[in-house]
Amino acid sequence: MRLIKQNFERDGSGFVTLFPEDPEDMWYAYNLIRPKDLLRASAIRRVTTESSTGSTSSTRVHTTLTIRVASLDFDPQSSQLHVSGRIAEETKFTKVGQYHTLDLELQRNFTLEKDGEEAWDSVARGTIKEACDPVKSADVWAVVMQEGLANLAVLTGARTVLRQRIEVSIPRKRGGRASDHDKGLERFFQTILDTMLRQIDLTESKPILLASPGFTASSFQKFILDTAIRTGNKSLAAQKANLVVVHSSSGHLHSLNEVLQSPEVSARLKDTQYAREGKLMDDFMALLRKDDGRAWYGPNEVEKAVEKGAVGRGGGVLLISNALFRAQDVAIRRRWVRLADKVRDVEGGEVRTLSSEHESGKRLDGLGGIAAILTFPLDDLDDEEGVEIPNRNENDLQV
């Protein structure tokens, strides 16, 4: 999600203009928009006109409408959000009070305004930050490169976001014209560094992976440190310990997968979210092997453990795959959201959402997408009468 504009007042009212870029963004929008909100978006409206002779004609016009939200309908398969309500601002083609349904889609701006009892609270603002600012949840920066090509990416707990693709023409080494190649390579390095300085907050200490075939990455590392000394940039010089040079098969972004699996990178990223989630899954599997009643997995078993208050303060952890939040049935999605809210807000336990795109999330998906570490042992949860989950099927537990 891209944040186009926002304005929040001290009383908590205000508005945001958002630009949804992928299907997950429409799910964020579905959770943000509430009845009585004001929603402004582009629309197609059928308008009927009457001529002086009494004949009528109907045309479809493109316009921008503002409605007072009454109901929402989310279609996850087409990534469309249909929001119905009565028009709140008169236009050339409409009057206040007429009914209309706005169809929110990907790659189209919309503005959401809240006031009064439906003001922007901490939960709503947190949702916007999570959806719009992947850098704030970044664990790792990475530059995957080869001569003339570099991809600057940020890795969050759930996805890899390409921030900038850089291409610079570098002359080949020919005869006695090696200096042209060196100058081109220096210009290439300087372009990458300038881009990094615009994107990366140097006050934060986070690993920066430099990956390439051959010696391009190590040469770039030397260029960074030399530049820091030459310019007296202490913040840049302080990143020396965070720079990790590693081999990749190419400078294309897909090579990042092999980089993250290398032993030297795994050791260096031991304190990141990737490693923390991996350790949680290791801890869960160790408890499961002990078979002492403190580790349970599966939708019914985990729900019953939560109902008994066993996933709360004192070490309770709910592990849930983000695949469950992408269930095709919206009611099922809301069920998992309520379960996570109860563990976190009522029981005081820890909720960890694991990405099915990472290794730890794939392991969890193999257990049904949900598991829990309990604060006290419970026996025979799988023998009790099951908690019915309507319309649950395998697709709701997979991406």
Side-chain angles (χ1 to χ4, degrees), residues 21-278:
E21 297 177 297
D22 57 57
E24 190 174 358
D25 293 339
M26 300 309 295
W27 171 241
Y28 280 116
Y30 178 74
N31 283 278
L32 279 173
I33 301 171
R34 292 289 179 268
K36 299 183 181 180
D37 289 348
L38 285 174
L39 180 65
R40 184 179 299 108
S42 59
I44 298 177
R45 180 82 175 179
R46 183 174 294 279
V47 178
T48 302
T49 57
E50 183 176 349
S51 67
S52 57
T53 61
S55 62
T56 61
S57 62
S58 179
T59 58
R60 292 164 62 88
V61 297
H62 291 265
T63 185
T64 299
L65 296 179
T66 301
I67 66 170
R68 180 72 68 177
V69 177
S71 62
L72 299 90
D73 178 35
F74 179 60
D75 184 351
Q77 293 183 334
S78 62
S79 298
Q80 292 184 345
L81 178 58
H82 310 286
V83 186
S84 301
R86 296 195 178 274
I87 295 173
E89 295 180 3
E90 186 172 343
T91 70
K92 178 181 177 180
F93 307 106
T94 61
K95 295 181 180 180
V96 173
Q98 291 181 317
Y99 200 80
H100 190 87
T101 297
L102 291 173
D103 299 325
L104 300 187
E105 297 175 341
L106 299 179
Q107 312 300 319
R108 290 172 56 186
N109 283 359
F110 67 89
T111 298
L112 180 64
E113 182 176 347
K114 294 177 180 285
D115 55 17
E117 295 181 358
E118 299 295 329
W120 293 98
D121 56 21
S122 60
V123 174
R125 297 191 190 199
T127 301
I128 292 176
K129 288 182 179 179
E130 181 181 351
C132 299
D133 195 0
V135 174
K136 286 189 177 297
S137 60
D139 275 330
V140 182
W141 283 93
V143 181
V144 186
M145 60 195 305
Q146 62 190 45
E147 285 197 4
L149 171 66
N151 289 279
L152 176 63
V154 58
L155 285 69
T156 70
R159 52 185 177 153
T160 299
V161 182
L162 177 63
R163 301 294 296 195
Q164 189 74 49
R165 179 182 173 90
I166 301 164
E167 294 185 78
V168 175
S169 178
I170 300 176
R172 294 182 179 180
K173 290 183 179 180
R174 292 179 179 175
R177 302 183 60 183
S179 60
D180 291 343
H181 174 272
D182 294 341
K183 289 179 181 178
L185 189 61
E186 183 176 347
R187 185 172 65 253
F188 174 54
F189 285 164
Q190 188 63 57
T191 303
I192 301 173
L193 181 57
D194 290 343
T195 304
M196 290 173 60
L197 293 176
R198 289 194 300 268
Q199 298 275 358
I200 301 176
D201 184 358
L202 297 181
T203 62
E204 297 182 349
S205 180
K206 294 182 178 180
I208 303 174
L209 306 181
L210 307 177
S212 77
F215 300 99
T216 306
S218 57
S219 298
F220 180 53
Q221 180 192 39
K222 183 177 184 301
F223 178 84
I224 293 175
L225 300 178
D226 290 346
T227 301
I229 295 173
R230 187 181 72 253
T231 60
N233 190 330
K234 295 182 179 180
S235 297
L236 183 59
Q239 295 297 317
K240 180 178 180 180
N242 294 326
L243 299 174
V244 182
V245 176
V246 64
H247 178 269
S248 67
S249 59
S250 76
H252 296 282
L253 190 61
H254 63 76
S255 296
L256 190 57
N257 292 329
E258 66 184 70
V259 171
L260 294 174
Q261 294 174 4
S262 64
E264 59 267 39
V265 171
S266 298
R268 189 61 182 272
L269 305 185
K270 62 182 180 180
D271 294 327
T272 65
Q273 184 169 339
Y274 302 106
R276 291 193 297 269
E277 292 180 351

Side-chain angles (χ1 to χ4, degrees), residues 299-300 303-304 307 335 384-390 392:
N300 291 336
E303 280 194 324
K304 285 181 279 190
E307 288 298 323
R335 187 184 193 99
E384 297 179 12
E385 183 179 352
V387 178
E388 182 181 359
I389 301 179
R392 191 179 82 247

